[in-house]
Every structure is written in C-alpha cells, then in structure tokens.
Amino acid sequence: MNSEKETFQSKNYISKSILYRFSQFVGFLIGARFFVALLLTFALYVSTFFLFNQDETFRKFVFDFKVHGIIFCTVVTILAGGIINQFYDLEKDHIVKPFRTRIQSFIKQKYFLYAYLVLSAISLGVAWTISHKVFAFFVVYQFFMWFYSHKLSRLLMINNLTFVSLTLYPFFGMMVYYETFSRKVMLMAIFLFLILLCIDIVKDMLTKSVDKAFGYTTIPNYFKSRNTQIIIISLLMITMAVSMKLIAKTGISGFMAYYFTGGLFVMILCIYLLLSSSRRNKFFTLNILRFWVFIGIIAMLLNGIENKL
C-alpha cells in the first residue's frame, strides 16, 4: 500500500516538475518578447530580400552569411531589449499585464538579467566577427535599448519617438547596407514610422492612469484627452497623405498598391473610432493598426514573389 502511495506521489511530483519547467520556459519567452522578435525576423527577411536587395538572386541571398549574421544579431538584441524592458516595467506590468506577469513570476528576475547579459554578449560577439562597423552598429542599438528602458520611456514624446526609432533601426541598417535610397523606400519608411507612432500613442491612452501612477509622462497624461485625439487623428491624416503620394508618384504596383489604397480606408475607420472616447474603440483602433502592419509585411512578400517570378 505504501509502495503504491509513494509511486503515485513520485508521478505527481514529476508531473508538477514538468509543468513548472514548462511554465518557466513560457515565462522566459514572454519576458523576452519572443513572439515580437519572431515577427520582426520575418519582416526583416521579407523587406531585405524584396525591398532593399533589388539585384541579388535568391541563391546568392541564401548564402550571404553576413546578412544572416546581421539579422541574427538583431533578433538576439531584440530579445535582450525585451528582457531589460520588462525588468524596468515590472511594477507597471503587474497592473497592465497581470497574466503575463504571473507567467513570468516562475523565473526569478536575476535569471532574466543573466539572460540579458548573455544575449547581449552573443549579439556583440557575432557582430564583431562580421565587421567592426556592424559591431559599432549593435553597440549603439543595445545602448539605446537599455537607455530607453532606464530613462527615456518616462520622458514626454521622447519615449514614443525613441520606441518607434528603435523598432525601425534594424531596417535602416539594412537599407544602408544595401545602399537602397529612393523616394519609394523613404516614403514607405515614413508611412511605417507614422503608423507605429500612432500605435504607441493609442497604447498610452489605454494605460493612461497606470502610467501616471508610476511616473511615465506620456502624451495622454500631459495633454487633455481631446488634444491627444487631435494629435493621433492628425498623424493618421498625414499617413493618408503619404499613402496617396506613394500611389501617385512612385509607380508602386501590385499587392503593395492595393495595400496602400486599402490603407486609406483603414485610416478613415480608425479616425471614426477615435472620435469616440470609448475605451473599447481605442482598443479596436490599436489592434486594427497592428493588424494592418502585419498585412503590410504579407503584401510586401506577395508583391516581391510576383515581381521575382
């Protein structure tokens, strides 16, 4: 009888141990913003091959280990940035993202810091083997990732501008690497910058009271709700103007032409939703804009495949 009881307890302990380890693993992935890094990796490969890399064949691109190394360093740096960001925002996340914080609690914060140091070192080590310029590029990237989490995320407007700039920094690096400077690429970069800026400000509107409690000076906290709405709507109207410029002046065609044309209607829908002060409408606006960014990556992929064939 005792033997059966001990066997049952042993199996129960193993089951709990496996569940605990799995929870730790999931907690680490969430803390490191793994899924965001995965999406950015996909976006980097799509934009690099189909937008920045105009002449290189697919075979040559596959065996261009320097490009793969740069993208690898970017992804590892983003994972490290996600970890250090959640370390500084831990108290705020307890209120804003309770489920995520609960999952992350399976791992002690010191292990997140160890992971941050290891990932940063791996990224810089690989960057050094590629070239000194690439190493310097990632030193700057990692410094501003840390400085944003430590200080800049609490400063009015600088927080939004820095966050969006850091998101686009790897794409700018690829653009410089391939020397792809054209009106079309610049307008597309401005379009993406504006949408990401709108997303970040709308996100701040949803966490307004929590940000104020923890000392984050955001646009919704500094200005009145009406003025914040005017700022976002103005940015969306500028985004529409950039879309029309892309369609009319750059000769863009195929799926990307459909994307920017459809974007005009998406911006109008977002403006309509923002005219209401409803929290639900702000949430819808945030997710519509996020979804539209993802649709843009897919449109670029389909457009690139169409042009390559």
Side-chain angles (χ1 to χ4, degrees), residues 252-270:
I252 203 165
S253 61
F255 288 97
M256 291 306 293
Y258 293 127
Y259 172 74
F260 288 112
T261 304
L264 298 174
F265 297 99
V266 170
M267 300 304 128
I268 291 169
L269 174 61
C270 289

Side-chain angles (χ1 to χ4, degrees), residues 2-15:
N2 287 335
S3 178
E4 289 180 2
K5 187 177 180 181
E6 287 175 3
T7 303
F8 175 77
Q9 287 176 341
S10 177
K11 287 181 178 178
N12 193 36
Y13 173 77
I14 292 169
S15 176

Side-chain angles (χ1 to χ4, degrees), residues 29-47:
L29 293 182
I30 293 173
R33 310 290 200 274
F34 176 78
F35 301 104
V36 174
L38 201 63
L39 179 61
L40 280 171
T41 304
F42 177 59
L44 268 171
Y45 271 110
V46 170
S47 59

Side-chain angles (χ1 to χ4, degrees), residues 267-294:
M267 300 304 128
I268 291 169
L269 174 61
C270 289
I271 289 170
Y272 171 76
L273 291 171
L274 286 168
L275 290 173
S276 163
S277 57
S278 163
R279 180 180 176 83
R280 187 177 70 172
N281 282 358
K282 292 170 188 172
F283 181 76
F284 282 152
T285 302
L286 177 65
N287 285 292
I288 287 168
L289 290 173
R290 282 173 170 171
F291 179 70
W292 198 245
V293 172
F294 176 72

Side-chain angles (χ1 to χ4, degrees), residues 42-56 61 168 171-172 174-176 178-190 192 246 250 252 256 260 296-297 299-301 303-305 307-308:
F42 177 59
L44 268 171
Y45 271 110
V46 170
S47 59
T48 299
F49 183 65
F50 293 117
L51 183 62
F52 304 134
N53 172 21
Q54 299 291 329
D55 305 316
E56 205 171 62
F61 175 75
L168 295 178
F171 298 92
F172 174 75
M174 282 300 182
M175 186 174 71
V176 172
Y178 281 105
E179 298 182 355
T180 312
F181 302 101
S182 66
R183 178 191 285 186
K184 182 176 79 172
V185 171
M186 293 307 296
L187 285 172
M188 288 174 72
I190 293 169
L192 184 56
L246 273 160
T250 62
I252 203 165
M256 291 306 293
F260 288 112
I297 299 169
M300 188 185 299
L301 174 64
N303 194 79
I305 292 171
N307 291 337
K308 294 283 184 180

